[in-house]
Amino acid sequence: MFRNNYDNDSVTFSPQGRIFQVEYALEAIKQGSAAVGLRSKTHVALVALKRSAEELGSYQKKIIPIDKHLGVALAGLSPDARVLSNFMRQQSMASRLLYKRPVPVARVVNAIADKAQVNTQHYGKRPYGVGLLIAGVDETGPHLWEFQPSGQILEYFGAAIGARSQSARTYLERNFESFPDVSREELVLHGLKALRDTLQQDKELTTDNTSIAIVGIGEDLRQYDGPKVKKFLDLLGEDGTRSQRAARLDTAMDIGGDADDDDDELAGLLGPGEGGNSAMDTTE
Amino acid sequence: MTSIGTGYDLSNSVFSPDGRNFQVEYAQKAVENGPTTIGLRCKDGIILACEKLITSKLLVPGSNKRISTVDRHVGIATSGLVPDGKHFTNRAREEAISWRRNFKDSVPVASLADRMGSYAQAYTLYSSVRPFGVTAILGGADDDGPALYMIEPSGMYWGYFGAATGKGRQAAKSEIEKLNPTELTLLQGIKEAARIIYVAHDDNKDKEFEIEMTWVTKDSKTATAAATGSKGMVWNGWVHEEVPKDLLEEASREAKKAIEEDDEEEEGDTKEEKMDEDL
């Protein structure tokens, strides 16, 4: 790693006008496992990949429910996420107490963004080392926001954060136009497919390592962990690691060999291992 | 750069031997890469416009606004670090509210600019904070009519007829100088503003962008609704609001067409034009 004089704290600009400490905090997100969020006209779904530190240890928390209509998925330092989500819960409760209504999604998101910005401007503070995907429903419908340690917030149709999340984003970019009209289950499946693309060659989605949360118009936030995830994984159909799926596809190709052009192109772009799961989409 | 390696640029609030505050200058650098943002002080109001590059097609169009309302009669556009801009905007809102509490009146734009200038300046005084990485264009109207100010990270602020900041500020400035904003009506102004954003964008053509544009006007279509929503609230009749969609779309369309026509003419004498732009 290279050091320079301008990266000791978040109150020093570099000669180019950058704040390195904030940029490093953004890197912390990439150390965490991936989380994907996506929205339809009626629902928002969060799916996340859980890691376990050791064989006998439990899997980490990736999705934190905030309120009946609101939940977050995180990537990065989970203690920082807990601080932020506690704050969001306070905001949410205050809204219910004061105004007798669930807090608007944009309002809580803006509140944590303002909180995070202060940490980038004062000596002795550090930026939060966590990225969040905030899913919620309010009077204006379903919303998905991304929060970054810089205090930047952006509203998305579909977003992915964490390790190897670029692959998930690629999937979302290719498919997001169909999201608005899909059903609740299909939305989750799209999420799982995006999440699956972030996996390493020898890994697969299991009931242990997958976390799902859905919230919709007139439908409270529901979280699915452990055995409850099974029905979604079953719907996803294909199982096995990416290399196993690819191998299976190779034999299928030898017999049929009629994968359409788009998928060939996709396979070429994503490298040899990826061909399997993209072509597989046509078989489902 | 001479500032690097001297040690005088490592902390805020430190002067170099020749009397400069490098951290403030670096904060200005953060703005120089920001989105092109302009303000026009027209005959009958203010226009604020900003070029918003579309960094991902997954972003919700029209969301993630860069121009905000400070008070009913004042708007603010920031360029530079987005979260800093948000903080700055929040402060402006607090100032506007506090003015209402103290004086039972809407804040004059000049006073608000002064307060915000002082706020920015305070962040150049201490080594425990850093200056704001934003330039803010503040537009509004009061008893003296429309007013436009631009506040820099140093806390310096000036009143303008036409202001520009961000990446395309040079091109935008030279376009604004060709105009006489005070003689423009708002309706003419939005067309000019859209054209200027398109011209300033020229350098990085390949990227897609959307234009965000607001105005401060005395005859707003939504003003009546706004007024009924404010029982007992003092309000000077001016409204900061988004430029109506159809007007903005029309202005964008015309601007695009004008640019394309210019490009065709240019083809013969590209060199000359380039020189002009560089100046």
Side-chain angles (χ1 to χ4, degrees):
Chain A
M1 289 291 274
F2 300 103
R3 273 199 68 94
N4 64 59
N5 285 323
Y6 305 99
D7 69 352
N8 285 312
D9 52 55
S10 55
V11 292
T12 310
F13 278 106
S14 82
Q16 290 73 242
R18 295 161 62 181
I19 304 161
F20 283 109
Q21 272 299 309
V22 173
E23 293 182 18
Y24 296 169
L26 295 170
E27 291 299 313
I29 302 173
K30 296 181 194 157
Q31 305 282 340
S33 59
V36 175
L38 62 171
R39 91 170 206 214
S40 71
K41 265 188 216 156
T42 52
H43 290 83
V44 208
L46 296 172
V47 295
L49 190 67
K50 292 182 285 189
R51 281 202 283 233
S52 72
E54 49 191 305
E55 194 90 340
L56 295 173
S58 63
Y59 282 82
Q60 65 182 136
K61 244 195 214 124
K62 288 291 283 183
I63 294 178
I64 306 172
I66 303 295
D67 199 339
K68 278 183 181 171
H69 67 300
L70 194 63
V72 302
L74 63 105
L77 302 181
S78 45
D80 286 15
R82 218 161 48 233
V83 170
L84 287 170
S85 58
N86 280 343
F87 178 73
M88 289 168 83
R89 283 177 178 164
Q90 282 172 15
Q91 295 282 309
S92 202
M93 282 169 67
S95 172
R96 284 186 185 276
L97 188 69
L98 267 166
Y99 308 115
K100 274 204 174 133
R101 64 160 188 176
V103 70
V105 183
R107 173 148 344 139
V108 256
V109 175
N110 273 289
I112 55 168
D114 295 343
K115 199 172 153 67
Q117 191 280 145
V118 174
N119 285 230
T120 71
Q121 205 171 13
H122 292 262
Y123 188 82
K125 290 183 185 287
R126 68 160 171 83
Y128 290 109
V130 71
L132 300 178
L133 294 177
I134 300 105
V137 171
D138 56 28
E139 301 99 315
T140 56
H143 294 284
L144 173 71
W145 289 85
E146 183 193 351
F147 160 87
Q148 292 179 349
S150 55
Q152 171 87 293
I153 46 166
L154 295 161
E155 189 176 7
Y156 282 100
F157 292 120
I161 54 173
R164 300 161 65 96
S165 57
Q166 184 52 49
S167 317
R169 265 196 299 280
T170 306
Y171 178 90
L172 294 173
E173 274 172 21
R174 279 169 194 278
N175 295 91
F176 82 99
E177 267 143 351
S178 70
F179 292 170
D181 299 309
V182 299
S183 70
R184 179 179 187 275
E185 277 70 26
E186 280 172 308
L187 192 68
V188 176
L189 286 190
H190 276 302
L192 289 173
K193 282 179 191 168
L195 188 67
R196 187 170 65 183
D197 285 358
T198 71
L199 293 170
Q200 286 156 311
Q201 286 284 341
D202 57 337
K203 294 275 165 48
E204 60 180 312
L205 293 179
T206 65
T207 51
D208 284 331
N209 72 6
T210 311
S211 216
I212 301 170
I214 315 163
V215 58
I217 296 172
E219 184 185 324
D220 288 352
L221 181 84
R222 272 186 76 181
Q223 215 189 124
Y224 300 86
D225 278 297
K228 287 184 197 157
V229 171
K230 190 162 183 300
K231 68 168 182 182
F232 292 105
L233 292 179
D234 287 346
L235 275 175
L236 193 62
E238 289 286 323
D239 54 350
T241 66
R242 186 183 301 176
S243 25
Q244 282 167 346
R245 294 200 308 267
R248 211 160 27 216
L249 179 87
D250 281 345
T251 44
M253 292 270 273
D254 286 342
I255 305 161
D258 56 358
D260 69 53
D261 290 344
D262 275 355
D263 288 321
D264 279 347
E265 193 186 319
L266 183 61
L269 278 171
L270 296 181
E274 298 276 355
N277 65 45
S278 57
M280 197 188 58
D281 291 349
T282 61
T283 64
E284 273 169 30
Chain B
M1 211 186 290
T2 50
S3 55
I4 300 168
T6 57
Y8 292 107
D9 67 340
L10 296 175
S11 178
N12 191 20
S13 85
V14 168
F15 279 120
S16 74
D18 52 353
R20 292 160 68 184
N21 191 340
F22 287 119
Q23 277 295 310
V24 173
E25 292 182 20
Y26 295 171
Q28 268 149 4
K29 277 278 186 329
V31 182
E32 287 171 17
N33 293 317
T36 309
T37 309
I38 60 168
L40 295 177
R41 191 186 126 174
C42 299
K43 197 155 58 178
D44 52 349
I46 298 287
I47 289 167
L48 297 175
C50 144
E51 167 205 45
K52 225 164 61 184
L53 292 176
I54 299 167
T55 47
S56 163
K57 55 183 176 182
L58 289 168
L59 284 166
V60 178
S63 182
N64 315 309
K65 293 263 183 283
R66 300 296 302 267
I67 309 176
S68 320
T69 299
V70 172
D71 199 337
R72 188 152 297 162
H73 61 297
V74 186
I76 191 168
T78 59
S79 185
L81 306 180
V82 184
D84 282 20
K86 219 156 97 52
H87 181 133
F88 203 71
T89 301
N90 286 340
R91 177 66 187 201
R93 288 173 173 165
E94 282 167 23
E95 291 289 355
I97 290 173
S98 120
W99 189 278
R100 279 186 183 283
R101 279 213 191 101
N102 287 330
F103 305 113
K104 287 263 185 297
D105 200 2
S106 44
V107 60
V109 188
S111 307
L112 185 63
D114 187 74
R115 292 285 187 95
M116 294 314 293
S118 303
Y119 190 65
Q121 188 272 160
Y123 280 75
T124 68
L125 286 175
Y126 311 98
S127 60
S128 56
V129 292
R130 64 170 172 78
F132 285 97
V134 290
T135 298
I137 299 179
L138 197 70
D142 46 39
D143 298 347
D144 303 327
L148 184 71
Y149 290 88
M150 184 156 77
I151 303 149
E152 287 170 37
S154 58
M156 196 141 76
Y157 71 91
W158 303 91
Y160 288 88
F161 291 118
T165 184
K167 204 178 238 159
R169 67 194 172 285
Q170 293 296 357
K173 251 185 234 171
S174 58
E175 286 301 316
I176 294 172
E177 278 162 14
K178 288 180 204 162
L179 304 169
N180 194 348
T182 34
E183 281 169 17
L184 290 176
T185 62
L186 280 175
L187 287 173
Q188 293 167 316
I190 53 176
K191 289 183 181 166
E192 295 297 341
R195 194 181 57 77
I196 291 167
I197 294 288
Y198 268 95
V199 170
H201 180 74
D202 233 350
D203 290 330
N204 38 7
K205 245 181 209 166
D206 40 349
K207 279 188 192 152
E208 271 193 71
F209 70 98
E210 54 186 44
I211 297 180
E212 196 178 319
M213 202 187 291
T214 64
W215 65 13
V216 179
T217 174
K218 193 131 198 175
D219 33 41
S220 155
K221 296 275 182 294
T222 62
T224 39
T228 48
S230 62
K231 279 178 198 154
M233 183 174 163
V234 180
W235 170 47
N236 63 17
W238 293 88
V239 178
H240 174 252
E241 62 180 10
E242 274 177 49
V243 170
K245 229 182 192 160
D246 50 326
L247 289 180
L248 178 56
E249 271 166 19
E250 189 195 336
S252 301
R253 224 176 12 249
E254 281 179 25
K256 212 171 176 176
K257 218 168 95 192
I259 297 287
E260 274 160 13
E261 278 167 14
D262 264 14
D263 280 356
E264 277 162 29
E265 281 172 34
E266 230 173 73
E267 238 138 77
D269 45 24
T270 330
K271 265 189 186 162
E272 255 183 339
E273 286 285 321
K274 261 258 154 61
M275 292 265 285
D276 282 344
E277 267 173 36
D278 287 345
L279 290 173

